[in-house]
Each structure stands twice: as structure tokens, then as C-alpha cells.
Amino acid sequence: MRLIFVGPPGAGKGTQATRLVEKLEIPHFSTGDMLRDEIRKRTRIGRIADPLISKGKFVSDELVLAMLESQLKQLECEAGFLLDGVPRTLNQAKVIDSMLARLNRPVDACLYLSVPDDVLHHRLQNRTSTTSQPRADDQKQWIPRRLEIYRTRTAPVVEHYQLQGRLVEVDGTGSPDEVFSRIQEALAHIHDARPCEEE
Ligand code: AMP
């Protein structure tokens, strides 16, 4: 199955994505993980991304898309995939749609984890105070900005896939087990990836 996974910060995407790729046995492409890896390795991309990420800002579309494309090109033909944290802007969504069309691997569905704002605030505040190694962008001061950036820049991605008739909305409130059951139930109605044609 070829999936895009979208949701606001604090929706529980990371937890659910890990479970989902294990269950579906598909590769997991998380641009957040890729960028954190670049930062750890102190690469050129890492040095550009570090000050942006630590302030809750987005990395440029060009940089994220170039990084993702080189990874997607290595995909096995029969494999599905989960794109996690990308696309995060409408422009990224459009470029990724054409990239995947060129690779003969259009997405089957965009899974959208929806969680009300008050629950997101509560979860993000909690994540800051209970994690032993908090992420730089999880600092309390950046929470309102991250939620605002999500609303202005990522919410249009949800609308984009809704207009394509490929949006699958799942209620992200409740325990991780409850949310995972809802995701599995929702995906049971999606047709599996059509095998791509070899070039
Ligand atoms: P995540 O782990 O998905 O929450 O991503 C952590 C941070 O990496 C985000 O807050 C952004 O600063 C940056 N980032 C990850 N993916 C993208 C993307 N697709 N476009 C722009 N910035 C991104």
C-alpha cells in the first residue's frame, strides 16, 4: 500500500507510523528523521536544517524534495511505502504527486490523523515535560508557532487529497491502541497498491 501520513504536531503520527510500517511491512520515509540524521552527521543539509528545525520552522521545499526523491528512486517496484511528515506544503504535495506519477507509483490514500487543538496543546506540553531527551522543536515556546504553521501551510495538503478523493480521516484521540485499531479499520477499505509497470 502506498500511503501519505499527515497530521498536526502532537497527533501521534510518529507512534502510529512505526506500528503501521511494521504491520504492512512497507518502507517508512520520514523527512523529520532524515533531517535529524543529517544534523547528527553534520552534513551540508544538516547545517542548513538545524537552526530552522530547532525553532519549529520548515526546511525549504527544494531541500526536502531533493532529499526525498533520491530515496524514493531506490524503491523496489512491488514495495508500497509510507511518507511521514511529507508533503507538508501544498507545493510539496503537487511535486510529490508528479514525482510518484513519473515513477509509476501514485499514492493509494492520504491518511489524516485529526485531533482537536486543545488535545494537541495538552499532548505537546506533556511531551516537553516528560521526555528525558526532548526534541529542540518540542520546547514549549515553539508550540503555538508549530500549530500555526501547520494550520496555514499543511492543512491545504489535507484539502488537496480530499479533492482528489483520496483522503482517509481517522480520529486521533484516545490511546495509541485505540487509534491504531481505527487506522487498520479505515485502511481495510482501501484498495491495495496496483503493481507498478516496469519501465
Ligand atoms: P517531524 O519529525 O516530521 O515532526 O519533523 C521535524 C521538523 O523537521 C519539522 O518541524 C520541520 O522543521 C522539519 N521538516 C520535516 N519534514 C519537513 C517537510 N516535509 N518540509 C519542511 N520541513 C520539514
Side-chain angles (χ1 to χ4, degrees):
M1 203 174 278
R2 296 189 279 257
L3 297 172
I4 283 173
F5 201 12
V6 180
K13 233 163 14 77
T15 311
Q16 298 300 333
T18 308
R19 289 183 171 202
L20 199 53
V21 294
E22 215 177 286
K23 172 93 190 171
L24 298 175
E25 298 182 343
I26 52 175
H28 181 190
F29 296 97
S30 155
T31 43
D33 285 349
M34 290 176 205
L35 289 166
R36 280 184 288 274
D37 200 42
E38 300 280 348
I39 292 172
R40 254 193 313 274
K41 291 181 185 153
R42 299 179 197 281
T43 61
R44 185 188 67 88
I45 294 180
R47 286 197 301 275
I48 298 172
D50 195 12
L52 297 169
I53 293 189
S54 60
K55 291 191 182 66
K57 293 184 180 170
F58 279 1
V59 174
S60 75
D61 287 356
E62 291 70 25
L63 203 138
V64 165
L65 291 166
M67 202 174 63
L68 184 69
E69 186 166 28
S70 67
Q71 301 257 344
L72 283 179
K73 277 185 176 157
Q74 296 163 23
L75 267 179
E76 295 286 320
C77 183
E78 69 277 9
F81 54 76
L82 180 78
L83 299 190
D84 170 8
V86 67
R88 240 180 171 98
T89 64
L90 188 56
N91 177 51
Q92 287 181 19
K94 290 179 179 169
V95 175
I96 287 170
D97 284 354
S98 356
M99 209 185 269
L100 292 173
R102 264 199 320 275
L103 295 167
N104 260 319
R105 294 160 178 81
V107 289
D108 297 306
C110 172
L111 192 60
Y112 164 50
L113 213 48
S114 73
V115 176
D117 266 12
D118 55 332
V119 180
L120 294 176
H121 272 281
H122 181 76
R123 285 187 186 170
L124 289 167
Q125 296 275 355
N126 243 11
R127 190 151 93 180
T128 322
S129 50
T130 55
T131 315
S132 57
Q133 277 190 308
R135 282 167 39 169
D137 56 345
D138 266 349
Q139 286 176 41
K140 279 196 176 79
Q141 70 198 80
W142 306 127
I143 294 174
R145 173 192 274 179
R146 286 174 68 203
L147 290 171
E148 179 56 23
I149 293 179
Y150 171 81
R151 265 191 296 274
T152 53
R153 306 206 52 199
T154 309
V157 171
V158 174
E159 206 175 310
H160 172 77
Y161 288 107
Q162 186 163 36
L163 288 171
Q164 289 187 4
R166 286 194 257 192
L167 192 75
V168 176
E169 181 168 348
V170 173
D171 173 5
T173 59
S175 72
D177 283 347
E178 284 166 343
V179 176
F180 193 56
S181 308
R182 284 184 211 128
I183 290 177
Q184 286 177 282
E185 161 70 15
L187 291 182
H189 303 289
I190 306 292
H191 291 297
D192 217 342
R194 292 159 298 284
C196 54
E197 291 159 25
E198 294 282 8
E199 289 89 35

